[in-house]
Amino acid sequence: MHCYKLLIAYDGTSYSGWQIQPNGPSIQEHIQNALRIILRNSFISVIGSGRTDSGVHAKGQVAHFKTEQSIDVQKVLWSLNGLLPVDIRIKQLEEVSTDFHAQYDAIGKEYHYSLSLDRVADPFTRLYGWHISGRLDQDLLQEGIKHFIGTHDFTSFTNEQHAGSAAKNPVRTLYRLDIVPNEGGICLEFEGNGFLYKMVRNIVGTLVCVGIGKMKASEIPIIFEARDRKRTPSAAPPHGLCLMKVYYS
Amino acid sequence: MHCYKLLIAYDGTSYSGWQIQPNGPSIQEHIQNALRIILRNSFISVIGSGRTDSGVHAKGQVAHFKTEQSIDVQKVLWSLNGLLPVDIRIKQLEEVSTDFHAQYDAIGKEYHYSLSLDRVADPFTRLYGWHISGRLDQDLLQEGIKHFIGTHDFTSFTNEQHAGSAAKNPVRTLYRLDIVPNEGGICLEFEGNGFLYKMVRNIVGTLVCVGIGKMKASEIPIIFEARDRKRTPSAAPPHGLCLMKVYYS
């Protein structure tokens, strides 16, 4: 048995998300189908490090697949990029140990969320950043950020159905949440040991509420305490979010 | 009479270019139609600083229009952006002297041409940069660039039909042609007193030929001398090009 690791970038605009689903095109399905054609093996399953939602982008998604065949990674890399739509690119393909698992072995992830702050929305970032037309106070934003760094029960900041139940541990550690200026706005850089479903988008939604003065940073601990998603402002839209990196030990 | 100046950004991907034409949507037509609706005046003509081709982008196109009406520029700016497609944005609208002319008064322009140099094309720059998969030698590129800076008869580097004829002066001055690194590649920054039709794309096509070793930089003066477009390599594709700025005195 051989195991291969893929490093994947995609513009999520035209997809229903990473995960295969009955309605709408997914990135996982495109890659799996292309691999099945190239390797003439209809049993190949592509397992990602985690799903990304409809409209969410990735510059560093990781996935793996297993096969009895020993493959020429350079050849298969080029064939894959030849078959895949241009908004999905395989950046690397390498053989890894057979016990590698893209999801279970991940020990951390980095996500970036872009906020466009130009008074008039920039046509070039319209698909890759959330346009905030009002004034976003970065000091307030920074005050809000302090409450998220570290280890917390993130039940109030996830749309995961069973979060907080015995079935799923809702405790995660956010190592880093930095504000980094970029062209026309800022990027919120998240690094943590794992992220619950919609966790980044819920945090960004809350931080923007704080930054535009609709909510006080001091309310964040109360929301954490409530362990109830209904207490949290609306999630930020998907198109500002990008999965940058998956960490393995 | 009042004259108003527009500063415009557009993602040219979905358009047949700036200029109104019978087949296909143009940026000029969209803006002109939106203004005619807002000002209830079907005689308004929008005059740009120059055309951009199908697929070419702009972050700083300038245009003007004249009307008897005195308008509230803030209100009209927001109405325009409300009516226009999201890939065309009016960044500024201001009243200027009635003798202002966006094309005739322009004394210089800045264009950027992006080259993506990642081994695997980046899905996020696929619409905004020309992907060169081979090795591009920046020293060779720099050698080529030297031949373009300054004042030259650019007849060999334009697809303008009457270039070099008495009808049109083909002499232009390129003040600056810099290589600036950007994410995943480089940007060629052009600044000059004016640009002939397809001049930037023809120069980039030639420079890339030099950079990948398909042509010697020393052949460039011979091409200039020939005053014949047929001697020049193929033009670079439109989607790498962006009109950044139009200068007025």
Side-chain angles (χ1 to χ4, degrees):
Chain A
M1 184 64 75
H2 298 272
C3 184
Y4 297 94
K5 181 181 171 191
L6 299 154
L7 182 67
I8 308 156
Y10 47 85
D11 179 334
T13 308
S14 313
Y15 298 94
S16 304
W18 164 261
Q19 194 166 273
I20 291 176
Q21 47 190 283
N23 317 307
S26 67
I27 294 108
Q28 188 186 20
E29 189 176 17
H30 270 288
I31 297 173
Q32 189 167 282
N33 285 349
L35 272 171
R36 287 177 177 186
I37 290 167
I38 293 165
L39 304 178
R40 295 161 203 251
N41 177 347
S42 60
F43 294 103
I44 284 179
S45 288
V46 171
I47 316 282
S49 73
R51 56 183 165 178
T52 55
D53 277 334
S54 177
V56 172
H57 313 290
K59 291 190 177 181
Q61 172 67 292
V62 173
H64 78 269
F65 64 93
K66 292 183 177 187
T67 171
E68 299 288 347
Q69 297 161 263
S70 168
I71 67 175
D72 179 335
V73 288
Q74 274 317 306
K75 254 188 171 162
V76 172
L77 177 72
W78 290 109
S79 305
L80 270 172
N81 284 325
L83 276 180
L84 286 167
V86 290
D87 48 9
I88 303 176
R89 295 289 91 182
I90 308 299
K91 296 176 79 173
Q92 284 172 29
L93 173 59
E94 55 174 333
E95 182 159 7
V96 288
S97 143
T98 48
D99 57 6
F100 174 78
H101 193 287
Q103 187 185 352
Y104 302 146
D105 291 355
I107 55 164
K109 281 184 182 170
E110 184 172 339
Y111 279 99
H112 288 184
Y113 196 99
S114 285
L115 297 172
S116 307
L117 303 176
D118 286 325
R119 209 171 60 102
V120 173
D122 173 14
F124 298 95
T125 56
R126 74 190 191 282
L127 304 172
Y128 313 110
W130 181 20
H131 182 239
I132 311 290
S133 48
R135 192 180 167 276
L136 191 76
D137 185 315
Q138 296 202 23
D139 292 334
L140 290 178
L141 209 59
Q142 199 64 64
E143 248 187 74
I145 283 174
K146 277 189 267 169
H147 296 285
F148 288 103
I149 309 264
T151 303
H152 302 276
D153 176 333
F154 280 96
T155 303
S156 295
F157 295 94
T158 175
N159 296 38
E160 202 124 15
Q161 273 191 313
H162 304 291
S165 75
K168 180 118 190 183
N169 176 6
V171 176
R172 294 289 183 280
T173 302
L174 206 57
Y175 305 127
R176 188 167 78 82
L177 206 182
D178 290 337
I179 305 176
V180 177
N182 64 11
E183 206 196 324
I186 55 171
C187 182
L188 297 173
E189 301 193 356
F190 290 76
E191 222 180 294
N193 67 350
F195 292 86
L196 300 164
Y197 181 50
K198 283 204 184 169
M199 183 172 136
V200 176
R201 288 168 55 193
N202 279 317
I203 296 175
V204 173
T206 300
L207 285 174
V208 166
C209 272
V210 170
I212 62 176
K214 254 178 76 177
M215 198 187 122
K216 281 183 180 159
S218 57
E219 293 176 54
I220 295 171
I222 303 163
I223 297 176
F224 265 116
E225 197 64 37
R227 303 183 73 246
D228 179 2
R229 169 67 186 81
K230 291 186 211 74
R231 299 289 298 272
T232 312
S234 300
H239 67 280
L241 186 59
C242 188
L243 170 58
M244 297 302 289
K245 218 167 178 174
V246 185
Y247 294 100
Y248 297 93
S249 55
Chain B
M1 184 64 76
H2 298 272
C3 184
Y4 297 94
K5 182 181 171 189
L6 299 154
L7 182 68
I8 309 155
Y10 47 86
D11 178 333
T13 308
S14 313
Y15 298 94
S16 303
W18 164 262
Q19 194 165 274
I20 291 177
Q21 48 190 283
N23 316 307
S26 68
I27 294 108
Q28 189 186 21
E29 190 176 15
H30 271 288
I31 298 172
Q32 189 166 285
N33 286 348
L35 271 171
R36 287 178 176 185
I37 290 167
I38 294 164
L39 304 178
R40 295 161 203 251
N41 177 347
S42 60
F43 294 104
I44 284 180
S45 288
V46 171
I47 316 281
S49 73
R51 56 184 164 178
T52 55
D53 277 334
S54 178
V56 171
H57 313 291
K59 292 189 176 181
Q61 173 67 292
V62 173
H64 78 269
F65 64 93
K66 292 184 177 186
T67 170
E68 299 287 348
Q69 298 160 264
S70 169
I71 66 176
D72 178 335
V73 288
Q74 274 317 306
K75 255 188 170 161
V76 172
L77 177 72
W78 289 109
S79 305
L80 271 172
N81 283 325
L83 276 180
L84 286 167
V86 289
D87 48 9
I88 304 176
R89 294 288 92 180
I90 309 300
K91 298 175 80 175
Q92 285 171 28
L93 173 59
E94 55 174 333
E95 182 158 8
V96 289
S97 143
T98 48
D99 57 5
F100 175 78
H101 193 287
Q103 186 185 352
Y104 303 145
D105 290 354
I107 56 165
K109 281 184 181 168
E110 185 171 340
Y111 279 99
H112 288 184
Y113 196 100
S114 285
L115 297 172
S116 307
L117 303 175
D118 287 324
R119 208 172 60 101
V120 174
D122 173 14
F124 298 94
T125 55
R126 74 190 193 283
L127 304 173
Y128 313 109
W130 181 20
H131 181 237
I132 310 290
S133 48
R135 192 179 167 278
L136 191 76
D137 185 314
Q138 295 201 24
D139 291 334
L140 290 179
L141 210 58
Q142 200 64 66
E143 247 185 76
I145 283 174
K146 277 187 269 171
H147 295 285
F148 288 103
I149 309 264
T151 302
H152 302 275
D153 176 335
F154 280 96
T155 303
S156 294
F157 295 93
T158 176
N159 295 39
E160 203 126 13
Q161 274 192 313
H162 304 292
S165 75
K168 180 119 190 182
N169 176 6
V171 176
R172 294 289 182 281
T173 301
L174 206 58
Y175 304 128
R176 188 167 78 83
L177 207 181
D178 289 337
I179 304 177
V180 177
N182 63 12
E183 207 196 324
I186 54 172
C187 182
L188 298 173
E189 300 192 356
F190 291 76
E191 221 180 294
N193 66 351
F195 292 86
L196 300 164
Y197 182 50
K198 284 204 183 169
M199 183 171 136
V200 177
R201 289 168 56 194
N202 279 317
I203 295 175
V204 173
T206 300
L207 285 175
V208 167
C209 272
V210 170
I212 62 176
K214 253 177 75 178
M215 197 186 122
K216 282 183 179 160
S218 57
E219 292 175 55
I220 295 171
I222 303 163
I223 295 175
F224 265 116
E225 197 65 38
R227 303 183 73 246
D228 179 2
R229 168 66 186 82
K230 292 186 209 74
R231 300 290 297 273
T232 312
S234 300
H239 66 281
L241 185 60
C242 188
L243 171 57
M244 298 301 288
K245 218 166 179 175
V246 185
Y247 294 100
Y248 296 94
S249 53

